[in-house]
């Protein structure tokens, strides 16, 4: 079943008419109907192309969160073979909001880490909507240290509204866990590449996205806080989320201009949720190219260029 966002009403109307004509056409061969269907298909694609070429930051936020957008598990299945998940932080327990382990990407052994939001009610609850607790970030540190020891590149797929803000998470040292995970990223002597595939929210994203190369899907967002949270803080009115999204410069296009990300990965027409397989393939190609650009660098050079990358953001912005 197709999902339409509130600003896609015109496209939804065209597609509804298309479905009606296709249903009629299935009952008999009609050249006139075939021509009409072809015209409507062209109209639908043009409407999507025009619409998605000029999305507002708030509309991009909606696309980044939409049901059906590929999640971590989809990229794992499409890009990595022989994957072995590793669980637990060796301090407290397992956190399924962050999934990580070892596998092969393009035939090469890698460490893969990412947030999993889930695709239905059961999986969303199990993965806590991709919002990790301290043990999730401590697990990420454990995996990065393992990758460093065995000289395996680290790939991070970011998709979270932020770290879990619950009292129990704070009691177990949420801020410290995020800081140590960020430090582990900076300390890696192996290449690390991060891709924001949906939402990149606050320190919950930075904790695994502090990489040599940071990329974003075309309609993903990367922000210090969600638009709703920012509106509540700035204006004490979460209904002004649209204003916050525009003011904060959270889109891939804005962040590329600021030098906060390195490149934008194009999405299929109408967003990654309309053609998940194509989106997964595009991300795979981008990760492969990024890893190739880093493969001949020494551990010292990787650390130095990574640190300089983030120091430069502070100087420019």
């Amino acid at each position: 079943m197709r999902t339409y966002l509130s600003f896609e009403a015109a496209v939804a109307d065209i597609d509804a008419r298309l479905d009606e004509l296709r249903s009629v056409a299935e009952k008999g061969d009609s050249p006139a109907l075939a021509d009409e269907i072809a015209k409507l298909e062209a109209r639908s694609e043009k409407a999507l192309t025009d619409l998605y070429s000029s999305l507002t930051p708030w509309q991009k936020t909606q696309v980044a969160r939409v049901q059906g957008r590929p999640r971590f598990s989809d990229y794992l299945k499409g890009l990595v073979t022989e994957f072995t998940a590793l669980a637990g932080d060796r301090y407290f327990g397992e956190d399924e909001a962050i999934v990580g382990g070892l596998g092969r990407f393009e035939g090469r052994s890698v460490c893969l880490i990412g947030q999993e939001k889930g695709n239905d009610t059961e999986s969303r609850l199990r993965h806590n909507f991709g919002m990790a607790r301290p043990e999730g970030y401590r697990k990420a540190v454990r995996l990065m240290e393992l990758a460093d020891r065995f000289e395996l590149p680290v790939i991070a797929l970011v998709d979270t509204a932020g770290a879990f803000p619950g009292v129990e998470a704070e009691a177990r040292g949420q801020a410290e866990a995020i800081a140590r995970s960020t430090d582990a990223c900076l300390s890696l002597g192996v290449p690390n590449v991060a891709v924001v595939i949906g939402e990149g929210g606050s320190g919950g994203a930075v904790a695994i996205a502090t990489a040599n190369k940071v990329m974003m899907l075309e309609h993903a967002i990367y922000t210090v806080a969600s638009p709703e949270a920012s509106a509540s803080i700035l204006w004490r009115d979460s209904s002004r989320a649209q204003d916050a999204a525009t003011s904060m410069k959270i889109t891939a296009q804005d962040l590329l201009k600021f030098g906060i990300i390195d490149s934008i990965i194009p999405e299929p027409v109408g967003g990654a949720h309309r053609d998940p397989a194509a989106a997964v393939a595009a991300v795979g190609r981008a990760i492969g190219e990024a890893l190739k650009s880093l493969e001949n660098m020494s551990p010292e050079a990787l650390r130095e260029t990574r640190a300089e990358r983030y120091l430069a953001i502070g100087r420019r912005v």
Side-chain angles (χ1 to χ4, degrees), residues 40-307:
L40 282 176
E41 286 174 340
R43 277 183 58 194
S44 177
E45 183 161 351
K46 184 178 186 305
L48 268 180
T49 302
D50 292 345
L51 182 61
Y52 273 74
S53 65
S54 58
L55 293 180
T56 67
W58 178 242
Q59 288 170 338
K60 283 182 178 287
T61 301
Q62 294 175 274
V63 176
R65 296 170 173 172
V66 70
Q67 171 70 16
R69 190 174 179 88
R71 304 300 188 195
F72 174 89
S73 57
D74 299 306
Y75 290 94
L76 171 60
K77 291 173 186 175
L79 301 177
V80 179
T81 59
E82 299 179 40
F83 182 73
T84 300
L86 300 176
D89 65 347
R90 301 298 187 266
Y91 291 96
F92 181 83
E94 165 66 343
D95 182 0
E96 293 191 63
I98 288 184
V99 178
L102 308 179
R104 292 189 183 276
F105 171 75
E106 296 184 344
R108 180 180 184 179
S109 296
V110 298
C111 174
L112 183 69
I113 302 171
Q115 285 108 354
E116 173 60 61
K117 283 186 172 181
N119 290 304
D120 53 31
T121 301
E122 182 183 350
S123 61
R124 285 173 190 145
L125 290 172
R126 185 172 73 253
H127 295 290
N128 199 36
F129 301 87
M131 295 186 293
R133 297 174 172 85
E135 47 272 22
Y137 295 109
R138 291 178 179 131
K139 175 172 67 175
V141 170
R142 184 170 74 85
L143 295 182
M144 284 188 274
E145 290 176 347
L146 186 67
D148 204 22
R149 188 178 311 136
F150 291 99
E151 300 181 352
L152 304 178
V154 176
I155 300 169
L157 300 180
V158 179
D159 190 13
T160 182
F164 183 63
V167 173
E168 68 272 25
E170 297 298 329
R172 293 200 293 273
Q174 184 73 289
E176 181 263 355
I178 289 172
R180 288 194 182 275
S181 185
T182 306
D183 181 63
C185 289
L186 288 167
S187 302
L188 283 171
V190 295
N192 65 331
V193 174
V195 183
V196 182
I197 58 174
E199 286 187 273
S202 191
V206 172
I208 63 171
T210 308
N212 289 107
K213 297 286 184 181
V214 181
M215 301 172 284
M216 288 179 67
L217 278 169
E218 183 180 0
H219 304 307
I221 60 170
Y222 196 13
T223 173
V224 68
S226 71
E228 293 88 345
S230 298
S232 295
I233 294 166
L234 293 171
W235 300 295
R236 299 187 184 279
D237 183 1
S238 61
S239 67
R240 295 189 64 180
Q242 186 169 345
D243 295 331
T246 302
S247 301
M248 290 193 298
K249 308 298 182 185
I250 64 178
T251 69
Q253 293 73 21
D254 285 327
L255 296 171
L256 184 64
K257 292 177 186 175
F258 294 141
I260 293 172
I261 65 169
D262 297 291
S263 62
I264 298 172
I265 303 171
E267 295 189 24
V269 174
H273 57 290
R274 281 193 163 79
D275 192 346
V280 170
V283 168
R285 288 191 295 271
I287 292 173
E289 291 169 6
L291 289 177
K292 284 178 184 175
S293 71
L294 300 167
E295 63 185 4
N296 293 321
M297 296 178 68
S298 68
E300 293 76 18
L302 287 166
R303 293 187 189 99
E304 288 173 9
T305 55
R306 191 186 298 121

